[in-house]
Amino acid sequence: MSDDFGHALARITPVQRAVSFGGSLGERRAPTPREKAAIIVRLMLAEGGSMPVTALPDHMQAALTEQIGQMRLVDRNTLSQVVEEFLAELEEVGLSFPGGIDGALTMMDGHISATAASRLRRLAGALGKGDPWERLTTLPADRILPVLEAESVEVAAVMLSKLPVPKAAELLGRLPGDKARRVAYAVSMTGSVSPETVRRIGHSLATQLDAQPARAFDAGPVERVGAILNISTSATRDDVLLGLDAEDAAFAEQVRKAIFTFGHIPARIMPRDIPKIVRMIDLPVLVTALTAAQTQAQQAAAVEFILANISQRLAQSIRDEMATRGKVKDKDAEDAMTSIVTTIRQLEGAGEIVMNRDED
């Protein structure tokens, strides 16, 4: 026997060598449910796995940790029995639920009304249930920014410290310069903030966000007007923009930036995306749109841009079709160009292409 093995064996008492579940030497008993949980957690950690213990209530986390600290050795037979029982229980599970109102709301997102979801979140906040930061960290920056701007520097520092780094950086960059500097400095002083204080701040912020009235429309007025004018006829679009200029010039300018028409293709579409767009459009529709557009000064550039970014064989074939197409009626031209614009919008919405948003 080596010296190291002898020293290790000497540190194990006879009771520990017999069984880790207590009693006098030679006495064995079945492990309790808490001991079984400790065995499973210990085994998973030893195998390099991870256990979502943080999802348990604090008192259960503490009890489990205390139990792990009290245990010493477990014989192979007991370990096998516990693992087999654990696997048998897993196999018996037919359906699982998220647990907690936050998980239920996440699962039901899109299936219940915004009013009902807001009421349930306010109720959960009043009862102090769940971790508010789990939901706050998933909210878009545009939703968080107004609350961040209205809060004190100290609360803003805690908020940025809890958010994912990319989102925190985006929000910090959108704050006014002076407040951004003060918030960044305040982050350095958040080391002594207690977890309970952070939790209360989270509940307060969540309550403020839930108190905001539900929006009837997902998109803003600029995006909605722009989307409508996108597929309107050019005459209607020009007439509406002229009226908007007279009523609200600033709003009209924002709408112009949100509008995407056939003539915007060279400036807004990446050359590499043109073949993907062309494959989604029927050839007669494409030929009709290009034939009509080549005679209009504002849209001729789009024709050359499209033909220059597809295979030369296909481009020549389309040019031949355009040469024999003849004169295109205004309505047919509008319909064909609208079809191309709609296809591009659909591809963007599906994440297949990315449009250039540069205001220039």
Side-chain angles (χ1 to χ4, degrees):
M1 180 185 301
S2 67
D3 291 340
D4 291 341
F5 184 78
H7 292 158
L9 188 61
R11 289 197 295 268
I12 302 176
T13 68
V15 173
Q16 292 171 354
R17 288 200 300 270
V19 64
S20 66
F21 295 116
S24 59
L25 184 62
E27 294 180 359
R28 301 193 180 191
R29 61 177 176 80
T32 65
R34 183 176 295 180
E35 289 168 339
K36 292 178 183 179
I39 291 173
I40 294 298
V41 171
R42 178 68 182 89
L43 178 62
M44 290 292 294
L45 296 178
E47 295 296 327
S50 61
M51 295 290 289
V53 179
T54 54
L56 298 174
D58 290 344
H59 72 279
M60 294 184 69
Q61 295 183 45
L64 179 60
T65 305
E66 290 175 359
Q67 184 62 53
I68 292 175
Q70 294 171 4
M71 298 174 67
R72 294 296 179 267
L73 299 178
V74 176
D75 61 75
R76 290 183 178 275
N77 290 335
T78 302
L79 177 60
S80 298
Q81 292 172 4
V82 171
V83 171
E84 289 175 1
E85 181 181 342
F86 179 70
L87 293 177
E89 290 188 9
L90 287 181
E91 291 176 355
E92 290 296 324
V93 174
L95 190 65
S96 65
F97 289 84
I101 190 64
D102 290 331
L105 286 170
T106 301
M107 184 182 71
M108 296 297 291
D109 185 28
H111 300 283
I112 61 176
S113 68
T115 303
S118 178
R119 184 177 65 82
L120 289 170
R121 286 196 179 98
R122 287 197 299 270
L123 177 61
L127 297 176
K129 295 181 178 179
D131 182 5
W133 292 105
E134 291 183 2
R135 185 168 68 89
L136 291 173
T137 54
T138 63
L139 293 176
D142 290 337
R143 181 88 183 277
I144 299 175
L145 184 61
V147 176
L148 185 66
E149 291 175 331
E151 284 294 344
S152 65
V153 170
E154 294 76 14
V155 171
V158 171
M159 195 172 186
L160 291 185
S161 300
K162 289 291 293 183
L163 294 175
V165 172
K167 186 175 294 184
E170 179 186 353
L171 288 168
L172 187 65
R174 295 172 66 175
L175 289 175
D178 180 60
K179 183 166 185 178
R181 288 189 291 271
R182 287 186 288 121
V183 169
Y185 175 71
V187 171
S188 66
M189 298 185 291
T190 57
S192 59
V193 179
S194 68
E196 180 59 25
T197 299
V198 174
R199 190 186 69 83
R200 288 201 304 269
I201 291 174
H203 276 299
S204 175
L205 294 173
T207 300
Q208 292 183 51
L209 289 167
D210 291 335
Q212 294 178 357
R215 297 172 58 181
F217 305 102
D218 293 331
V222 172
E223 290 76 14
R224 296 200 303 275
V225 174
I228 294 171
L229 295 181
N230 273 333
I231 57 176
S232 300
T233 63
S234 58
T236 301
R237 183 164 52 246
D238 293 341
D239 186 55
V240 170
L241 289 174
L242 186 63
L244 289 177
D245 280 329
E247 296 291 336
D248 189 338
F251 181 71
E253 182 62 24
Q254 291 178 331
V255 170
R256 282 190 172 88
K257 293 178 181 179
I259 289 175
F260 173 75
T261 63
F262 186 86
H264 292 135
I265 289 177
R268 303 281 292 278
I269 302 300
M270 303 295 288
R272 65 172 181 268
D273 291 330
I274 291 298
K276 183 181 298 184
I277 295 169
V278 169
R279 285 195 297 270
M280 299 296 294
I281 301 170
D282 292 336
L283 185 59
V285 174
L286 182 62
V287 170
T288 299
L290 297 184
T291 302
Q294 68 180 347
T295 62
Q296 303 179 24
Q298 295 180 343
Q299 298 171 343
V303 176
E304 294 304 319
F305 181 77
I306 291 173
L307 295 176
N309 288 288
I310 58 178
S311 69
Q312 290 305 303
R313 181 178 178 180
L314 177 58
Q316 186 57 48
S317 175
I318 293 175
R319 290 184 189 276
D320 293 341
E321 293 282 347
M322 291 168 59
T324 60
R325 175 65 173 80
K327 182 175 176 57
V328 179
K329 296 180 180 179
D330 291 343
K331 184 180 185 306
D332 292 340
E334 288 278 1
D335 291 344
M337 293 181 191
T338 298
S339 177
I340 293 175
V341 169
T342 302
T343 299
I344 292 174
R345 286 290 192 182
Q346 290 172 347
L347 289 172
E348 183 199 24
E352 296 290 333
I353 64 173
V354 178
M355 295 175 61
N356 180 15
R357 298 294 184 183
D358 190 343
E359 292 184 1
D360 293 337

mmCIF file of all heavy atoms in Angstrom, residues 54-74:
data_model
loop_
_atom_site.group_PDB
_atom_site.id
_atom_site.type_symbol
_atom_site.label_atom_id
_atom_site.label_comp_id
_atom_site.label_asym_id
_atom_site.label_seq_id
_atom_site.Cartn_x
_atom_site.Cartn_y
_atom_site.Cartn_z
ATOM 1 N N THR A 54 -30.483 27.195 -9.620
ATOM 2 C CA THR A 54 -30.921 28.569 -9.364
ATOM 3 C C THR A 54 -32.410 28.750 -9.621
ATOM 4 O O THR A 54 -32.996 29.743 -9.175
ATOM 5 C CB THR A 54 -30.132 29.554 -10.240
ATOM 6 O OG1 THR A 54 -30.229 29.149 -11.616
ATOM 7 C CG2 THR A 54 -28.658 29.574 -9.842
ATOM 8 N N ALA A 55 -33.032 27.825 -10.363
ATOM 9 C CA ALA A 55 -34.468 27.930 -10.616
ATOM 10 C C ALA A 55 -35.288 27.578 -9.375
ATOM 11 O O ALA A 55 -36.476 27.891 -9.317
ATOM 12 C CB ALA A 55 -34.863 27.008 -11.782
ATOM 13 N N LEU A 56 -34.658 26.944 -8.393
ATOM 14 C CA LEU A 56 -35.358 26.590 -7.159
ATOM 15 C C LEU A 56 -35.486 27.812 -6.257
ATOM 16 O O LEU A 56 -34.683 28.736 -6.325
ATOM 17 C CB LEU A 56 -34.594 25.488 -6.416
ATOM 18 C CG LEU A 56 -34.426 24.145 -7.136
ATOM 19 C CD1 LEU A 56 -33.514 23.231 -6.313
ATOM 20 C CD2 LEU A 56 -35.776 23.483 -7.355
ATOM 21 N N PRO A 57 -36.491 27.836 -5.355
ATOM 22 C CA PRO A 57 -36.572 28.909 -4.356
ATOM 23 C C PRO A 57 -35.313 28.931 -3.484
ATOM 24 O O PRO A 57 -34.631 27.913 -3.326
ATOM 25 C CB PRO A 57 -37.819 28.538 -3.538
ATOM 26 C CG PRO A 57 -38.628 27.657 -4.441
ATOM 27 C CD PRO A 57 -37.633 26.903 -5.273
ATOM 28 N N ASP A 58 -35.017 30.092 -2.917
ATOM 29 C CA ASP A 58 -33.792 30.258 -2.132
ATOM 30 C C ASP A 58 -33.699 29.257 -0.990
ATOM 31 O O ASP A 58 -32.625 28.701 -0.719
ATOM 32 C CB ASP A 58 -33.708 31.683 -1.589
ATOM 33 C CG ASP A 58 -33.451 32.700 -2.689
ATOM 34 O OD1 ASP A 58 -33.049 32.268 -3.789
ATOM 35 O OD2 ASP A 58 -33.634 33.903 -2.452
ATOM 36 N N HIS A 59 -34.821 29.001 -0.291
ATOM 37 C CA HIS A 59 -34.756 28.108 0.862
ATOM 38 C C HIS A 59 -34.455 26.669 0.429
ATOM 39 O O HIS A 59 -33.774 25.925 1.147
ATOM 40 C CB HIS A 59 -36.067 28.170 1.655
ATOM 41 C CG HIS A 59 -37.235 27.509 0.974
ATOM 42 N ND1 HIS A 59 -37.970 28.138 -0.019
ATOM 43 C CD2 HIS A 59 -37.786 26.266 1.125
ATOM 44 C CE1 HIS A 59 -38.930 27.330 -0.427
ATOM 45 N NE2 HIS A 59 -38.838 26.187 0.243
ATOM 46 N N MET A 60 -34.911 26.294 -0.769
ATOM 47 C CA MET A 60 -34.611 24.959 -1.258
ATOM 48 C C MET A 60 -33.152 24.856 -1.698
ATOM 49 O O MET A 60 -32.506 23.814 -1.504
ATOM 50 C CB MET A 60 -35.549 24.595 -2.412
ATOM 51 C CG MET A 60 -37.000 24.457 -2.002
ATOM 52 S SD MET A 60 -38.077 23.902 -3.358
ATOM 53 C CE MET A 60 -37.490 22.225 -3.570
ATOM 54 N N GLN A 61 -32.627 25.920 -2.295
ATOM 55 C CA GLN A 61 -31.209 25.930 -2.647
ATOM 56 C C GLN A 61 -30.341 25.791 -1.399
ATOM 57 O O GLN A 61 -29.353 25.038 -1.396
ATOM 58 C CB GLN A 61 -30.857 27.220 -3.385
ATOM 59 C CG GLN A 61 -31.536 27.387 -4.728
ATOM 60 C CD GLN A 61 -31.091 28.653 -5.433
ATOM 61 O OE1 GLN A 61 -29.900 28.965 -5.478
ATOM 62 N NE2 GLN A 61 -32.033 29.402 -5.982
ATOM 63 N N ALA A 62 -30.721 26.511 -0.348
ATOM 64 C CA ALA A 62 -29.954 26.448 0.900
ATOM 65 C C ALA A 62 -30.028 25.051 1.516
ATOM 66 O O ALA A 62 -29.014 24.501 1.971
ATOM 67 C CB ALA A 62 -30.470 27.498 1.887
ATOM 68 N N ALA A 63 -31.249 24.463 1.530
ATOM 69 C CA ALA A 63 -31.404 23.127 2.119
ATOM 70 C C ALA A 63 -30.603 22.086 1.346
ATOM 71 O O ALA A 63 -29.970 21.199 1.937
ATOM 72 C CB ALA A 63 -32.888 22.751 2.135
ATOM 73 N N LEU A 64 -30.604 22.197 0.014
ATOM 74 C CA LEU A 64 -29.846 21.251 -0.799
ATOM 75 C C LEU A 64 -28.353 21.390 -0.552
ATOM 76 O O LEU A 64 -27.635 20.391 -0.431
ATOM 77 C CB LEU A 64 -30.170 21.489 -2.278
ATOM 78 C CG LEU A 64 -29.443 20.588 -3.285
ATOM 79 C CD1 LEU A 64 -29.777 19.123 -3.046
ATOM 80 C CD2 LEU A 64 -29.797 20.989 -4.719
ATOM 81 N N THR A 65 -27.873 22.613 -0.452
ATOM 82 C CA THR A 65 -26.444 22.834 -0.207
ATOM 83 C C THR A 65 -26.041 22.310 1.170
ATOM 84 O O THR A 65 -24.971 21.697 1.331
ATOM 85 C CB THR A 65 -26.116 24.331 -0.329
ATOM 86 O OG1 THR A 65 -26.543 24.807 -1.615
ATOM 87 C CG2 THR A 65 -24.623 24.577 -0.178
ATOM 88 N N GLU A 66 -26.887 22.546 2.176
ATOM 89 C CA GLU A 66 -26.596 22.024 3.521
ATOM 90 C C GLU A 66 -26.546 20.501 3.512
ATOM 91 O O GLU A 66 -25.677 19.893 4.151
ATOM 92 C CB GLU A 66 -27.659 22.505 4.510
ATOM 93 C CG GLU A 66 -27.591 23.997 4.811
ATOM 94 C CD GLU A 66 -28.731 24.447 5.689
ATOM 95 O OE1 GLU A 66 -29.580 23.589 6.049
ATOM 96 O OE2 GLU A 66 -28.800 25.643 6.010
ATOM 97 N N GLN A 67 -27.460 19.878 2.772
ATOM 98 C CA GLN A 67 -27.481 18.426 2.696
ATOM 99 C C GLN A 67 -26.203 17.888 2.048
ATOM 100 O O GLN A 67 -25.631 16.897 2.501
ATOM 101 C CB GLN A 67 -28.702 17.964 1.896
ATOM 102 C CG GLN A 67 -28.874 16.447 1.847
ATOM 103 C CD GLN A 67 -29.086 15.852 3.228
ATOM 104 O OE1 GLN A 67 -29.960 16.286 3.966
ATOM 105 N NE2 GLN A 67 -28.268 14.867 3.585
ATOM 106 N N ILE A 68 -25.759 18.546 0.979
ATOM 107 C CA ILE A 68 -24.518 18.132 0.320
ATOM 108 C C ILE A 68 -23.342 18.244 1.287
ATOM 109 O O ILE A 68 -22.443 17.396 1.311
ATOM 110 C CB ILE A 68 -24.280 18.974 -0.950
ATOM 111 C CG1 ILE A 68 -25.336 18.633 -2.000
ATOM 112 C CG2 ILE A 68 -22.885 18.751 -1.511
ATOM 113 C CD1 ILE A 68 -25.276 19.495 -3.249
ATOM 114 N N GLY A 69 -23.354 19.293 2.116
ATOM 115 C CA GLY A 69 -22.271 19.470 3.085
ATOM 116 C C GLY A 69 -22.263 18.422 4.184
ATOM 117 O O GLY A 69 -21.213 18.169 4.796
ATOM 118 N N GLN A 70 -23.398 17.798 4.481
ATOM 119 C CA GLN A 70 -23.479 16.797 5.549
ATOM 120 C C GLN A 70 -23.103 15.406 5.084
ATOM 121 O O GLN A 70 -22.786 14.539 5.897
ATOM 122 C CB GLN A 70 -24.915 16.763 6.103
ATOM 123 C CG GLN A 70 -25.336 18.039 6.812
ATOM 124 C CD GLN A 70 -26.811 18.052 7.139
ATOM 125 O OE1 GLN A 70 -27.519 17.067 6.901
ATOM 126 N NE2 GLN A 70 -27.298 19.180 7.666
ATOM 127 N N MET A 71 -23.119 15.170 3.773
ATOM 128 C CA MET A 71 -22.895 13.811 3.269
ATOM 129 C C MET A 71 -21.416 13.562 2.999
ATOM 130 O O MET A 71 -20.647 14.500 2.800
ATOM 131 C CB MET A 71 -23.734 13.593 1.999
ATOM 132 C CG MET A 71 -25.228 13.716 2.261
ATOM 133 S SD MET A 71 -26.236 13.627 0.767
ATOM 134 C CE MET A 71 -25.951 11.935 0.275
ATOM 135 N N ARG A 72 -21.038 12.273 3.010
ATOM 136 C CA ARG A 72 -19.639 11.913 2.804
ATOM 137 C C ARG A 72 -19.503 10.907 1.652
ATOM 138 O O ARG A 72 -19.170 11.273 0.555
ATOM 139 C CB ARG A 72 -19.029 11.331 4.095
ATOM 140 C CG ARG A 72 -18.937 12.340 5.232
ATOM 141 C CD ARG A 72 -17.994 13.489 4.882
ATOM 142 N NE ARG A 72 -17.924 14.455 5.964
ATOM 143 C CZ ARG A 72 -18.676 15.533 6.065
ATOM 144 N NH1 ARG A 72 -19.607 15.783 5.129
ATOM 145 N NH2 ARG A 72 -18.553 16.378 7.065
ATOM 146 N N LEU A 73 -19.772 9.635 1.923
ATOM 147 C CA LEU A 73 -19.614 8.585 0.912
ATOM 148 C C LEU A 73 -20.938 7.901 0.618
ATOM 149 O O LEU A 73 -21.784 7.768 1.493
ATOM 150 C CB LEU A 73 -18.599 7.541 1.386
ATOM 151 C CG LEU A 73 -17.174 8.033 1.655
ATOM 152 C CD1 LEU A 73 -16.321 6.895 2.155
ATOM 153 C CD2 LEU A 73 -16.580 8.642 0.402
ATOM 154 N N VAL A 74 -21.074 7.443 -0.620
ATOM 155 C CA VAL A 74 -22.249 6.690 -1.046
ATOM 156 C C VAL A 74 -21.748 5.443 -1.771
ATOM 157 O O VAL A 74 -20.940 5.539 -2.697
ATOM 158 C CB VAL A 74 -23.144 7.521 -1.984
ATOM 159 C CG1 VAL A 74 -24.308 6.674 -2.494
ATOM 160 C CG2 VAL A 74 -23.660 8.751 -1.267
#
